[in-house]
Structures are given as structure tokens and as C-alpha cells.
Amino acid sequence: MSSSWWAPRPSTPTINRSFSNGSAPGSPMRLPRIERVPSLDAVERSNHNDSGHGKSTFQIIKELKASNAKLSAKTADMEAEFMNRVTEMQNQFSNKENDLKDSLKAKDNKLKSLETRIKTTENRIREKDSQLSELKEETTFQRHTIADLKNQLYQLQHEIEDAEYDKRDGVDRWSAEKKEMEYKMEQLRNQLACISNGPVSNGPVSNGPVSN
């Protein structure tokens, strides 16, 4: 057997079957730990050491080919399982990504709605401030107007009081003049009666001229 038959070959990676995919939600997913199986060269040397003595070269080659076929099939199964795991994890990643996108979209929509409500509230506050400023100005104007009206009312009250005083004085003067005129009229009536009836002896002395 030539020395090239025992040339070292690269070992074939395989998947650790003890890998569990039950990671907690939200935690970073751990990839399966890849372990290296014995290389075909090491297996062949082990088989040769175990059964090579007393066997022909043809029998050794046949057994090694059969062992190699088993190892190749096992490796293919392990690679298929690994690819299935990778595909499953990719699907989980895709589903998680879609869920996160939907959640982010919902939060963005909620944020936009809150921003719209904030802008609407700010506009209302500005309108209320403007109305309050106008109301303050109107209130100030009304106060000035009320103060002016009070001053005018006070002046009118004084004018009315003065007019009432003047009226009372006029009534008093008119009453005095009336009484004086009534007194004079009474005197005139008495004089007229004296003139009409002539002088009366032993009577009251008249106010008119007395003849001698």
C-alpha cells in the first residue's frame, strides 16, 4: 500500500445534537455549537489497525469504502439537519422581525397621533390666551366706562339735589309772595268796604285819610 493512501484529510464538521432552541424571548439566539468528528483518515487508520491484520488489500479497501459510505451518509444527514435548523431559525428571525416592525409601526402611529393632539392642544391654548387677552382689554375698558358713568351719575345726583334745593327755595319764595299778596288783597278789600259803606262813627279808625 502506497504512502499516499494515508495522507491526512480534513475533518468534517457536524452539529451537536444536544442543542436546544428554547431560548427566552427577546434574548439573543445562540447558534448550535459545531463539533468536529474524527477525520476519515483517522477512522480509516483505526479500522486498519483493528481489522487490517490478516486481511487482503481488497478486503481492507472494501471495508474502508463501506465505512466511508456510512460516514458520508451520516455527514449528509447531519448537514441536512443543520440546514433545517438554520432554516427554522431564519423563519423565527423573520417572524420576530415582522412582529417588531408591526409593533414599531403601531408605536409610530401612536406617536403621530399624540403629536397631532399636542399641536391641536397648543392651538387651543393660543386661542384661549388670545381670547383671555381680549377679555382683559374689554374688562379694563368696561371698568373705565363704569368709572365714567359713576362720575356722571354723581354729578347728576348733585345737579338733582341742587335743583331740588332751588325748587324748595322757589316754592318758599312763592309761598311767601302768595301770603303777602293775599294779605294785601285782604287790606284792599277792607279799604274797598270802608269806602263803599262810608265812615262809621265810634268805629275803628280807617287807614284812609280822615276829613276834619
Side-chain angles (χ1 to χ4, degrees), residues 55-66:
K55 293 182 180 180
S56 64
T57 303
F58 177 76
Q59 289 177 345
I60 293 173
I61 292 173
K62 184 178 179 180
E63 291 176 359
L64 289 175
K65 286 183 177 180

Side-chain angles (χ1 to χ4, degrees), residues 174-189:
W174 182 79
S175 297
E177 291 176 357
K178 181 180 178 183
K179 288 180 180 180
E180 185 178 359
M181 290 179 66
E182 288 178 351
Y183 178 75
K184 288 181 179 180
M185 289 178 66
E186 183 67 20
Q187 287 182 345
L188 289 173
R189 287 193 189 97

Side-chain angles (χ1 to χ4, degrees), residues 109-162:
N109 292 333
K110 186 176 181 180
L111 181 61
K112 290 180 181 179
S113 177
L114 290 175
E115 289 177 350
T116 302
R117 291 177 61 184
I118 288 173
K119 289 182 180 179
T120 303
T121 305
E122 289 177 349
N123 292 332
R124 289 180 179 177
I125 291 174
R126 283 195 291 269
E127 291 177 358
K128 293 296 182 181
D129 289 339
S130 178
Q131 293 177 0
L132 182 60
S133 298
E134 293 177 357
L135 182 61
K136 287 181 178 179
E137 293 178 357
E138 184 177 357
T139 302
T140 303
F141 176 76
Q142 292 295 336
R143 286 177 180 175
H144 288 299
T145 304
I146 291 172
D148 293 338
L149 291 175
K150 285 182 177 180
N151 291 330
Q152 294 178 10
L153 180 62
Y154 181 74
Q155 292 177 358
L156 287 174
Q157 287 177 349
H158 276 286
E159 290 177 0
I160 290 171
E161 290 176 358
D162 293 339

Side-chain angles (χ1 to χ4, degrees), residues 14-120:
T14 184
I15 301 298
N16 182 13
R17 293 182 181 274
S18 63
F19 167 73
S20 175
N21 195 24
S23 58
S27 62
M29 189 175 61
R30 295 174 296 178
L31 294 176
R33 182 167 55 89
I34 300 176
E35 297 179 350
R36 305 188 75 85
V37 300
S39 64
L40 294 177
D41 183 64
V43 174
E44 289 173 355
R45 286 199 301 270
S46 177
N47 292 333
H48 176 72
N49 293 330
D50 293 338
S51 60
H53 299 287
K55 293 182 180 180
S56 64
T57 303
F58 177 76
Q59 289 177 345
I60 293 173
I61 292 173
K62 184 178 179 180
E63 291 176 359
L64 289 175
K65 286 183 177 180
S67 178
N68 188 21
K70 290 180 180 180
L71 288 174
S72 298
K74 185 176 181 181
T75 302
D77 292 339
M78 295 175 69
E79 289 178 352
E81 183 181 1
F82 174 75
M83 295 303 298
N84 291 333
R85 290 289 184 88
V86 170
T87 302
E88 182 181 357
M89 287 186 288
Q90 286 178 346
N91 292 333
Q92 291 178 357
F93 269 125
S94 179
N95 294 332
K96 187 67 174 178
E97 184 180 6
N98 291 332
D99 292 340
L100 291 175
K101 285 181 179 179
D102 293 339
S103 178
L104 182 61
K105 185 177 180 180
K107 289 181 179 179
D108 289 339
N109 292 333
K110 186 176 181 180
L111 181 61
K112 290 180 181 179
S113 177
L114 290 175
E115 289 177 350
T116 302
R117 291 177 61 184
I118 288 173
K119 289 182 180 179
T120 303

